Amino acid sequence: EVMDRIPSWSIGGARKADAGEPITLMLHEGPTVRTDIVGSRKLIRSRVWGTWFRAHGVKPGDRVIFTPMDETTYFVGLVRAK
């Protein structure tokens, strides 16, 4: 659902050598990372997620929300499952 809002120039290949141009993700109560998207798998290349998920106690059913701040920056928040 988010991929249609991500700039195409930030989508790269599977290898880091084929990375797209980075976008900035400002994680709620977490780090700010610059990363691209692995297009074939629709994954954010940064490995920050495990630490961030544990810090926030993310559980099945919780949703990660990407809010565009501008063309290259997104605020990343969390909506808890009910």
Side-chain angles (χ1 to χ4, degrees):
E1 296 172 23
V2 174
M3 290 299 288
D4 62 335
R5 297 188 321 189
I6 302 293
S8 60
W9 46 260
S10 70
I11 300 172
R15 299 180 313 144
K16 198 167 189 175
D18 300 323
E21 293 297 317
I23 56 175
T24 301
L25 302 177
M26 299 168 39
L27 281 71
H28 173 71
E29 295 182 0
T32 295
V33 296
R34 294 199 27 91
T35 187
D36 74 315
I37 309 297
V38 179
S40 61
R41 298 185 64 202
K42 298 181 182 175
L43 292 175
I44 295 168
R45 196 176 304 272
S46 173
R47 297 186 184 262
V48 71
W49 298 110
T51 302
W52 190 73
F53 282 14
R54 283 188 299 279
H56 291 284
V58 175
K59 298 196 180 343
D62 291 347
R63 294 182 340 164
V64 176
I65 308 250
F66 293 78
T67 304
M69 305 301 284
D70 61 33
E71 185 177 296
T72 63
T73 305
Y74 297 80
F75 177 78
V76 181
L78 190 59
V79 175
R80 300 286 181 188
K82 293 185 178 189

